Amino acid sequence: MPEQGIDPMQTVARRVFELRKRKGLSAAEVGQKMKDVGFKWDRFTVSNLENGKRQNVTLTEWLALAYVLDVSPLHLLVPLTEVEYKVTPDRALPTARVRSWVRGETPLPETDTRIFRTEKPEAEWSDPDLPEQAQGENEASRHLMAGVGAARHAGLSEDQVVDWIRRAWQLSDTLEGGPDGEGL
């Protein structure tokens, strides 16, 4: 049966210990590596983290720990095994779901999916695993959605926008050679 509600700090502490041992590093060596990248850490800091006496790490410490231990920050934060993981003090979800959320792939239940999907860099709006046609459709959709938003802001009706798209398509055919290849 999976563990119930492991929290992020427990995971970071456990993963630092596991990774340190796997790499054959002492607590002092990890402390020195952290010092080398700008943190006032020593073997006691590492030991206190691993044994639970230290109850937090800053975001920059978390990123630096992942860096000095040669892992993705995600795999330092979220367990590799399937357990219930606390995303809030009162909400635990399966780790596979949490990993997908942290990667920006899948929203958590009861969150606004529209906001989740749109709050990412424009360059990440496409999926390299999609067939070329689907990527083209995604690219067209992205531009169309921007145009639809602008049209709504300008007070245009749906019929006006559809008519404009139809005329723009015809103009593009004419300029680019069109279906008959005659173009301008």
Side-chain angles (χ1 to χ4, degrees):
M1 182 167 164
E3 294 178 38
Q4 294 298 310
I6 189 170
D7 74 32
M9 261 323 293
Q10 289 172 313
T11 302
V12 170
R14 181 181 300 166
R15 293 291 293 141
V16 167
F17 176 78
E18 291 169 355
L19 291 161
R20 179 175 68 76
K21 291 296 186 180
R22 185 171 301 132
K23 291 176 68 71
L25 299 172
S26 67
E29 289 170 316
V30 171
Q32 183 60 51
K33 285 178 171 285
M34 289 294 285
K35 192 174 285 184
D36 292 345
V37 296
F39 294 91
K40 295 179 181 179
W41 277 46
D42 58 24
R43 68 184 177 100
F44 299 108
T45 312
V46 176
S47 295
N48 286 339
L49 172 64
E50 291 177 353
N51 67 28
K53 289 181 182 173
R54 183 166 190 207
Q55 291 293 307
N56 61 60
V57 293
T58 67
L59 287 174
T60 52
E61 287 173 327
W62 165 59
L63 293 171
L65 280 165
Y67 175 73
V68 303
L69 293 169
D70 300 317
V71 296
S72 161
L74 169 63
H75 300 125
L76 193 61
L77 181 65
V78 182
L80 301 179
T81 58
E82 193 56 37
V83 297
E84 292 292 307
Y85 182 80
K86 289 184 180 180
V87 294
T88 72
D90 298 329
R91 183 75 189 260
L93 295 166
T95 51
R97 185 71 183 264
V98 175
R99 282 190 297 275
S100 181
W101 172 60
V102 172
R103 286 185 188 115
E105 299 167 348
T106 309
L108 293 181
E110 302 170 13
T111 59
D112 187 325
T113 301
R114 182 185 59 81
I115 291 173
F116 181 86
R117 298 264 184 238
T118 57
E119 288 300 313
K120 61 170 86 176
E122 191 173 317
E124 293 179 17
W125 287 1
S126 67
D127 181 347
D129 295 328
L130 287 177
E132 192 171 319
Q133 178 182 349
Q135 287 186 45
E137 290 168 359
N138 280 353
E139 181 75 8
S141 293
R142 183 165 48 93
H143 292 292
L144 282 172
M145 291 306 294
V148 166
R152 282 189 172 159
H153 184 72
L156 298 177
S157 70
E158 180 180 343
D159 289 338
Q160 289 173 307
V161 172
V162 170
D163 184 53
W164 181 86
I165 291 171
R166 194 171 287 120
R167 284 184 284 131
W169 192 280
Q170 291 167 349
L171 177 60
S172 176
D173 276 348
T174 301
L175 294 174
E176 294 178 11
D180 298 328
E182 296 177 14
L184 295 178

